[in-house]
Amino acid sequence: MRATMIHGPRDIRLEEVADPAVEYPTDAVVPVVSACVCGSDLWPYRGVAPTKRPHPIGHEFVGVVEEVGGDVRTVKPGDFVIAPFVISDNTCRNCRHGVHTSCENGGNWGTKTGPGSSVDGGQGERVRVPLADGTLVATPDQPDPTLVPGLLTLSDVMCTGHHAAVSARVGAGSTVAVVGDGAVGLCAVLAARRLGASRIIAMSRHADRQKVAGDFGATDIVSERGDDGIAAVKELLGGIGADAVLECVGTKESMDQALRSARPGGFVGYVGVPAGGPELPVGYMFGNNVNVAGGVAPARAYLPELLPDVLGGALDPGPVFDLELPLDRVADAYTAMDQRQAIKVLLRP
Ligand SMILES: [Zn+2]
C-alpha cells in the first residue's frame, strides 16, 4: 500500500510500504476513506520539531473496518469508524477519568510507541489500529458521503475546539473570545455556539477565515492583535473582558492575548500546541482571578457526545476543509497548509 512518510523538513513522500495486518487480537485493519493534514503536522514539516528518522505521518482519519482480531468486540468489518488522534484502551484509570490522551496503554499514530511492531500513520491507504475497541468509534450506519468531512473533524479539530470551550466553562449566555483562526479556532467558535454562548468574538485577520467564523456562529470579528486586539474585545463587551477565552494557537503572544482578554474571574481554555515558550504570568492571574485550564484534547472522550450532532446535522464542522486533494498529492497538501493557501486539507486515498 501507499503511505505518507516524513523524511525531514519539507520532505513529504508517498511511498510503497508493507500492507498492515492484524498483529494482536486487539487490532483492527482499517482502509482509509478520508484523512487530513493537521496544523501540528507542520511542526516537523517546518523543522521546528526534529525528524530523527523517516516515519509515517498523519493522525486524523476515518475509514471502514476490513478485518479485526479475535478479541475485538465493539467494531466489526464493514463498520464506518472515526479514529481519534491518540490510541487508547478506554478502560485504564486515566481513560476512565476522561483523559484518553494519557492512556496508560496507548500510543501515537506513526510512531514506534504503543502496542505492536510499529503503528501506521493516518495519511495512508490502510492503517493497523491497535486497541481497536478502545480507540475507534463506529457510526450506527454507513454515513452519507456529504457527512464525511464533518466526521473527520471528530478525529481532532472539532473535539479540540470543544475541549477549549469546555475547559473555559462556556455555557448558556457566555461571552467568548477565540484566539486563533485555524481549523481548531474555527471549531472552537462552533463549539461555543453549540454550548449556548451569546456572544462569540473571533480574532482573525484573514477574510476567508472570518467568513467561516461568521458561518460558524461568531457574532463579532476582531482583526487587531496584541494590546489593540485586547482593547477591541473589551470595547465590544462593555469595558471588561470575556467570560471565556479560547486559546487555539499555542504561542507566547497568543497566550498573553488570551489571558488579558479574559474578564476578572474569567476562564482561559487553552488547546494550542505550545510552541515558542508560552509561560503563565501567575502574578497577573492572581491579581485578576483569571483561571486557566485545558491541554491536549481527549478526543475519544468527547466523541460519543459530538458524534450524534454531526450525524444529525446540528453540528457541521465540515467547512473547515477548504481544499481536497488525492493522497498522491499529499506533498502539495502540506505546502498549501504551510503557506496558508488552505485552512485545512482533506485527503482521499
Ligand atoms: Zn487508557
Side-chain angles (χ1 to χ4, degrees), residues 87-96 99-100 102-106 131:
I87 296 157
S88 62
D89 60 10
N90 199 28
T91 54
C92 77
R93 292 171 297 178
N94 289 331
C95 285
R96 290 202 304 273
V99 193
H100 295 68
S102 296
C103 178
E104 294 178 292
N105 300 301
L131 302 174

Side-chain angles (χ1 to χ4, degrees), residues 275-319:
E279 286 180 7
L280 293 179
V282 175
Y284 176 84
M285 292 159 62
F286 179 85
N288 295 279
N289 279 278
V290 168
N291 306 277
V292 176
V296 58
R300 179 63 182 80
Y302 295 130
L303 257 155
E305 177 186 345
L306 298 178
L307 177 59
D309 281 13
V310 173
L311 289 172
L315 181 63
D316 182 15

